[in-house]
Amino acid sequence: MRFRFRFAYYMVGFIMGLFFVAMVLSGKDARCNYFPNARVLNDLRTKPFNFSDKAKLILAQKWVDTTDIKNTLTYGDVDFDKSNKEAEKGKLYIIEGKTTKNQPIILEVINYSDKAVLRDIIKKQN
């Protein structure tokens, strides 16, 4: 059998396989969080999220809002050198992100087994 016929059979089977995999995974809420940064951020987003009193005071200052917090928890970078430490019976995570005005911020989030608490919001100096 010639190469082009073998290649054509291969491509037909490959495309049919992709079609079936897409059908199986399209109805599910499947996520591929293989990297540690994505796993931590996904875990924090899926838990009930609370704000400490200090974080509420900073949010009242209006230079940062909850949209910036959500974006940082979606697209931010976890600083693992400073994170994953025990704090108040949970684990502390330091997450770097930006506001909608492109101002760098740092979030200190304590991850408990049943909830996540935003402890502090720090305006990062350039």
Side-chain angles (χ1 to χ4, degrees), residues 62-75:
K62 302 292 185 193
W63 62 269
V64 65
D65 61 1
T66 56
T67 305
D68 300 327
I69 305 300
K70 289 178 184 177
N71 287 339
T72 301
L73 289 175
T74 304
Y75 305 110

Side-chain angles (χ1 to χ4, degrees), residues 4-49:
R4 64 180 174 181
F5 291 122
R6 282 186 283 161
F7 186 72
Y9 284 128
Y10 171 78
M11 289 306 293
V12 168
F14 184 73
I15 290 171
M16 287 174 40
L18 286 177
F19 177 72
F20 286 118
V21 167
M23 280 182 30
V24 168
L25 294 179
S26 67
K28 299 180 183 196
D29 188 20
R31 292 188 180 100
C32 299
N33 296 328
Y34 295 115
F35 297 108
N37 192 61
R39 282 192 302 232
V40 168
L41 293 177
N42 185 47
D43 184 44
L44 293 174
R45 283 193 311 267
T46 57
K47 291 181 179 179
F49 200 78

Side-chain angles (χ1 to χ4, degrees), residues 76-88:
D77 293 320
V78 180
D79 187 356
F80 285 102
D81 290 336
K82 300 175 186 172
S83 296
N84 208 8
K85 298 179 181 174
E86 294 294 325
E88 302 172 20

Side-chain angles (χ1 to χ4, degrees), residues 104-122:
I105 59 172
I106 298 173
L107 303 180
E108 292 182 0
V109 180
I110 300 176
N111 189 12
Y112 297 102
S113 60
D114 59 339
K115 65 180 177 178
V117 176
L118 178 64
R119 184 168 81 173
D120 195 7
I121 307 167
I122 302 166

